[in-house]
Amino acid sequence: KSLIRLLRPDRQGNLTKLDFVKSIDEVYKQQRLLRASISSSNRIDNAFEKIVNCFFYFFLAIIAFTILGWANVWTVFLSFNTFFLGFSFLFGAAASNYFEGLLLIFVRRPYDIGDRIATSNPKSDTSPDGSSTWYVDNVTLFTTTVRFATTNEVATYSNGSIAQLRIINANRSPKGIISVLIKFGLETPFNKVTVFRAAVENFIKARPREWIALSGFRATSVEADFGYVEYKIIAQHREKWQNIGPILQSKADLSSFILEVTKKLDMKYESPPMPVNLSATASMNIRGLFADDGDVEPQSGLRDVNVSADDLQDVANLFEVRKD
């Protein structure tokens, strides 16, 4: 099972040379990231060891001076308290920020080298289409160096500044789930919607190296005033959000396929023209403004359905079955 999960052959168990090389290359990249992560953790541990050694030798010296009776160390130490107290108001916020950064690195550990991360306000929701991400290039006790995934711009965060934020880790997230919204007219018969769903499900099943399954197909909004029903199509991809490129490409193919199927089934929704109300008080009926009840022609969705999901295979053949 582990080998199948690594190589991901098709449903017939076949694996091309190109797919084999790509799978091995993926393992090689993971090993390189692991080596970089170990190196970064080693540097952090050495820096933390130096901080602990400073405190250890400081208190060891005080205890040694007290035992030997060379000086009243505690009296000298307490005399400096007034001096240190004045500086505590100056550096108190920075020290608190630094300590929060240490807790972030040693306790929470929200990311590693090579992970895609996104930061946001924890009091607000994130985008359902995914977040803009940054690659983690380096981590120290004080700062985290990141690189914007879209433009390769490099930035630096202080660890304390992001300790209070929501940190989304794409590498630790499960398989990506994407959603596509589509609108149908109110007059579209339900059997057309059923055929449409079957066509989308067949499209996803024919691409096992891209998609896991069709997770949902449901109506999310009914707008009688505008004459449409909005459906949400939810599918789960095989890649994590860490590897966002194939996810976006598969989503684009699915969206294009959905558009072609709506054209084939004559289900494309067209929004009604908006009226121009020249009166400040009178309310106007959108349908009654442009045509009488006897002049309204039935929409194309009312016509009989003479097509099945199997008949839409020629539309699915327009889209390449990706091997990676």
Side-chain angles (χ1 to χ4, degrees):
K1 291 183 178 180
S2 300
L3 191 61
I4 293 176
R5 192 180 302 111
L6 171 64
L7 301 178
R8 292 187 305 172
D10 57 19
R11 293 187 181 275
Q12 287 73 35
N14 299 322
L15 183 69
T16 64
K17 292 182 180 180
L18 180 61
D19 295 336
F20 176 78
V21 171
K22 288 183 177 180
S23 299
I24 299 302
D25 182 64
E26 185 67 24
V27 175
Y28 171 71
K29 291 179 180 178
Q30 293 177 1
Q31 295 302 317
R32 288 192 60 184
L33 289 177
L34 177 61
R35 185 176 63 180
S37 180
I38 293 175
S39 177
S40 176
S41 298
N42 200 15
R43 290 196 300 269
I44 292 176
D45 292 341
N46 292 336
F48 184 70
E49 182 182 1
K50 292 179 181 179
I51 295 176
V52 173
N53 288 339
C54 290
F55 282 100
F56 173 77
Y57 289 119
F58 174 75
F59 287 106
L60 182 62
I62 292 178
I63 294 173
F65 290 154
T66 303
I67 294 175
L68 296 176
W70 289 355
N72 194 347
V73 179
W74 293 108
T75 302
V76 177
F77 180 73
L78 292 176
S79 65
F80 277 98
N81 278 349
T82 305
F83 178 76
F84 290 142
L85 184 62
F87 278 94
S88 65
F89 291 100
L90 181 62
F91 298 106
S96 176
N97 198 322
Y98 174 68
F99 184 71
E100 288 182 354
L102 291 180
L103 292 179
L104 176 77
I105 298 302
F106 289 109
V107 180
R108 289 177 56 187
R109 292 182 175 269
Y111 46 75
D112 297 312
I113 299 293
D115 289 352
R116 279 178 178 261
I117 64 170
T119 58
S120 60
N121 188 346
K123 297 181 180 179
S124 60
D125 294 333
T126 59
S127 172
D129 296 325
S131 306
S132 298
T133 54
W134 299 70
Y135 283 109
V136 178
D137 282 346
N138 191 26
V139 181
T140 66
L141 287 180
F142 309 99
T143 61
T144 297
T145 303
V146 294
R147 175 169 47 87
F148 193 36
T150 304
T151 61
N152 269 348
E153 295 173 288
V154 177
T156 302
Y157 291 127
S158 65
N159 295 332
S161 65
I162 60 177
Q164 302 296 329
L165 300 179
R166 177 198 292 122
I167 302 176
I168 302 172
N169 191 321
N171 191 37
R172 299 180 185 178
S173 302
K175 307 296 184 181
I177 295 178
I178 63 98
S179 59
V180 179
L181 297 176
I182 187 69
K183 295 178 181 179
F184 300 139
L186 288 177
E187 294 81 3
T188 303
F190 185 71
N191 55 348
K192 270 194 174 183
V193 178
T194 303
V195 173
F196 175 85
R197 173 175 180 168
V200 173
E201 193 167 4
N202 292 338
F203 180 84
I204 290 176
K205 286 183 178 180
R207 289 155 177 80
R209 291 186 65 88
E210 297 182 53
W211 302 101
I212 294 178
L214 178 66
S215 303
F217 183 92
R218 57 179 177 268
T220 57
S221 177
V222 179
E223 296 290 344
D225 293 339
F226 295 98
Y228 71 83
V229 180
E230 185 178 69
Y231 282 81
K232 176 179 282 190
I233 302 170
I234 305 173
Q236 187 173 16
H237 204 273
R238 290 202 174 273
E239 295 289 345
K240 296 181 179 181
W241 285 107
Q242 175 77 8
N243 193 11
I244 194 174
I247 295 180
L248 295 180
Q249 184 59 55
S250 297
K251 182 179 180 180
D253 292 343
L254 179 61
S255 301
S256 300
F257 173 76
I258 289 172
L259 178 60
E260 294 299 324
V261 171
T262 55
K263 293 179 181 179
K264 187 81 171 181
L265 294 176
D266 204 7
M267 300 171 65
K268 185 178 179 182
Y269 166 73
E270 295 182 0
S271 60
M274 299 301 294
V276 179
N277 191 351
L278 300 180
S279 173
T281 58
S283 61
M284 305 179 71
N285 189 332
I286 295 178
R287 293 183 179 274
L289 180 66
F290 297 99
D292 296 333
D293 293 340
D295 297 335
V296 177
E297 296 182 359
Q299 294 188 4
S300 57
L302 294 176
R303 290 182 291 189
D304 295 335
V305 183
N306 296 320
V307 64
S308 65
D310 295 334
D311 297 331
L312 298 174
Q313 186 60 36
D314 56 337
V315 179
N317 292 336
L318 296 175
F319 300 89
E320 177 187 0
V321 179
R322 300 187 180 279
K323 299 297 184 181
D324 53 351

